[in-house]
Amino acid sequence: MMRTAIGLMSGTSLDGIDVALLRTDGEAVVERGPSMGRPYDAAFRRRLQGALETAKAIGERMERPGDLADIERELTLRHGEAVRAFLTENSLKPADIDVVGFHGQTVLHRPNVGLTVQLGDGALLARETGIDVVYDMRANDMVHGGQGAPLIPAYHAALAAGLAETAGKPVVFVNIGGISNLTFIGSEIVAFDSGPGNTLIDQWVEAHAGIPYDQGGMIASEGRVDRGLAERYLGHAFFTDPVRRSLDRNDFRPPEGAAATLEDGARTLAHVTAAAILRSARHLPERPALYVVCGGGRLNRAIMGDLAALAGEEGARVVTAEAVGLDGDSMEAEAWAYLAVRSLRALPLTFPGTTGVTAPVSGGLLARAASGD
């Protein structure tokens, strides 16, 4: 049965809300629809950055110390506004949509203790939009021994099945968001976080230039790679540990202020992002022939240049999602729409090869629009 779903994604880069429409059966049939981005204003981004610090005090998943409850409400209301704007822009009504897949904002992720916290009130969003909402999709995976991330591989597999470029060849989908992650689709499906994505670069340029990110890699293009600084990151035990694990934004921290110039720091961290992907790819079952890159990092030419060069040394090609007819900005939001439909059908969201869960498991909580709970 086909369903029409809206996916909502607010990632670790804290830059805004991505909205995407999908018609799908939650399995092999995927019809991609329109999408849009709705950026956060600077003041709200600062509140979210503060929430990351406040959340460190959380010991139980439903705790909301400090002002986290207020931030959660505002975040949810902003998602509601985004859905209404999207419907208006595309001449749609709430009745046209079967379900909303709501990721929320991850403020704490500690898989080693089975704790993940995404701010977002699904019941409130259902009341605000008049549409059923599936949310909190990571927690059940962790209950069953998984890392709670990444969740997008099920959608990557559905996309790969429709790509002529990947026929019979192992392919890796690379999402470069705040944290980067890989999905390998070949003899089996394997997925894991690969290392820092844009988060270190964003924090570096915000601290040193007062801007939220290095647009297009312009700052990095003026710098050079500090090999010593790069190896401090790339020598991290995460890259050699045979046990793959998901990452929290705080697992890798930006360099100290005097470690490099603005330009050299941005260039070095761009190199770290690219090299981390290839180092983590050593844990895949076989070498991929193709890397398909999505997420904001694909727009940073320093990251993409290094990634193409490093992959080329191993005989692989690197392309953007757009080069194979996909949308690198909306893919994660599309995935949350797809996962919401799978959740409604009680289909697995995660698998032993993706999160380390003991067996394929579904997940997500359903908030009905009619009752709001």
Side-chain angles (χ1 to χ4, degrees), residues 201 213-223 263 266-267 270 296-297 299-303:
I201 305 167
Y213 61 97
D214 182 10
Q215 185 172 8
M218 292 176 62
I219 296 172
S221 68
E222 300 294 324
E263 295 81 5
R267 180 67 186 88
L299 304 177
N300 184 311
R301 57 181 177 266
I303 294 174

Side-chain angles (χ1 to χ4, degrees), residues 94-150:
D96 297 325
I97 311 300
D98 294 304
V99 67
V100 169
F102 181 26
H103 178 272
Q105 184 68 57
T106 298
V107 291
L108 187 71
H109 189 69
R110 291 178 177 164
N112 57 317
V113 293
L115 178 62
T116 187
V117 179
Q118 285 74 45
L119 296 184
D121 184 335
L124 175 59
L125 186 63
R127 292 195 297 270
E128 286 290 309
T129 61
I131 306 169
D132 291 351
V133 173
V134 172
Y135 66 107
D136 201 14
M137 291 194 229
R138 298 188 187 275
N140 196 46
D141 176 81
M142 295 184 114
V143 168
H144 290 85
Q147 293 271 307

Side-chain angles (χ1 to χ4, degrees), residues 5-367:
I6 285 176
L8 300 173
M9 184 68 197
S10 178
T12 50
S13 294
L14 310 178
D15 52 358
I17 303 166
D18 292 324
V19 188
L21 183 76
L22 207 67
R23 277 186 53 75
T24 181
D25 62 354
E27 295 186 88
V29 181
V30 173
E31 298 173 6
R32 296 169 46 244
S35 61
M36 78 172 199
R38 195 173 179 91
Y40 291 138
D41 57 84
F44 190 62
R45 285 189 75 245
R46 286 193 293 271
R47 289 196 74 194
L48 289 178
Q49 288 167 343
L52 297 175
E53 293 301 314
T54 305
K56 291 177 181 178
I58 293 176
E60 298 289 339
R61 197 163 57 86
M62 301 311 294
E63 289 178 3
R64 297 294 184 265
D67 61 350
L68 288 189
D70 290 340
I71 294 174
E72 182 167 50
R73 177 176 174 79
E74 183 175 351
L75 178 95
T76 304
L77 293 175
R78 284 172 180 257
H79 278 73
E81 291 169 3
V83 170
R84 290 192 294 272
F86 180 80
L87 293 175
T88 299
E89 185 175 296
N90 292 286
S91 302
L92 295 166
K93 305 182 298 296
D96 297 325
I97 311 300
D98 294 304
V99 67
V100 169
F102 181 26
H103 178 272
Q105 184 68 57
T106 298
V107 291
L108 187 71
H109 189 69
R110 291 178 177 164
N112 57 317
V113 293
L115 178 62
T116 187
V117 179
Q118 285 74 45
L119 296 184
D121 184 335
L124 175 59
L125 186 63
R127 292 195 297 270
E128 286 290 309
T129 61
I131 306 169
D132 291 351
V133 173
V134 172
Y135 66 107
D136 201 14
M137 291 194 229
R138 298 188 187 275
N140 196 46
D141 176 81
M142 295 184 114
V143 168
H144 290 85
Q147 293 271 307
L151 264 65
I152 196 172
Y155 183 56
H156 283 154
L159 290 178
L163 294 180
E165 292 86 351
T166 66
K169 304 173 188 172
V171 59
V172 168
F173 281 83
V174 182
N175 178 58
I176 307 177
I179 301 296
S180 293
N181 53 65
L182 310 179
T183 301
F184 172 87
I185 300 160
S187 54
E188 56 186 304
I189 299 174
V190 176
F192 45 74
D193 285 352
S194 61
N198 301 314
T199 185
L200 294 179
I201 305 167
D202 293 350
Q203 291 174 81
W204 177 260
V205 299
E206 185 155 35
H208 291 266
I211 55 178
Y213 61 97
D214 182 10
Q215 185 172 8
M218 292 176 62
I219 296 172
S221 68
E222 300 294 324
R224 62 175 185 81
V225 176
D226 181 325
R227 298 291 172 181
L229 179 58
E231 282 305 317
R232 276 167 42 197
Y233 287 99
L234 297 170
H236 194 289
F238 170 79
F239 298 109
T240 54
D241 190 337
V243 178
R244 299 287 80 205
R245 65 179 181 85
S246 57
L247 292 168
D248 181 75
R249 179 186 168 100
N250 294 308
D251 285 332
F252 290 87
R253 302 298 299 165
E256 296 297 323
T261 65
L262 167 65
E263 295 81 5
D264 287 355
R267 180 67 186 88
T268 301
L269 294 172
H271 176 75
V272 167
T273 296
I277 291 165
L278 269 296
R279 293 206 178 188
S280 288
R282 294 172 184 171
H283 296 274
L284 296 172
E286 56 185 306
R287 285 186 176 182
L290 181 69
Y291 290 86
V292 179
V293 187
C294 57
R298 80 193 190 289
L299 304 177
N300 184 311
R301 57 181 177 266
I303 294 174
M304 291 297 287
D306 282 2
L307 185 57
L310 292 167
E313 293 173 4
E314 300 182 358
R317 286 194 305 130
V318 172
V319 299
T320 63
E322 286 73 14
V324 292
L326 303 174
D327 188 327
D329 285 326
S330 66
M331 194 179 293
E332 281 198 290
E334 291 171 11
W336 243 253
Y338 180 80
L339 292 170
V341 173
R342 288 185 70 85
S343 177
L344 290 179
R345 296 189 57 198
L347 294 171
L349 306 188
T350 56
F351 306 85
T354 62
T355 65
V357 67
T358 52
V361 65
S362 192
L365 301 176
L366 175 62

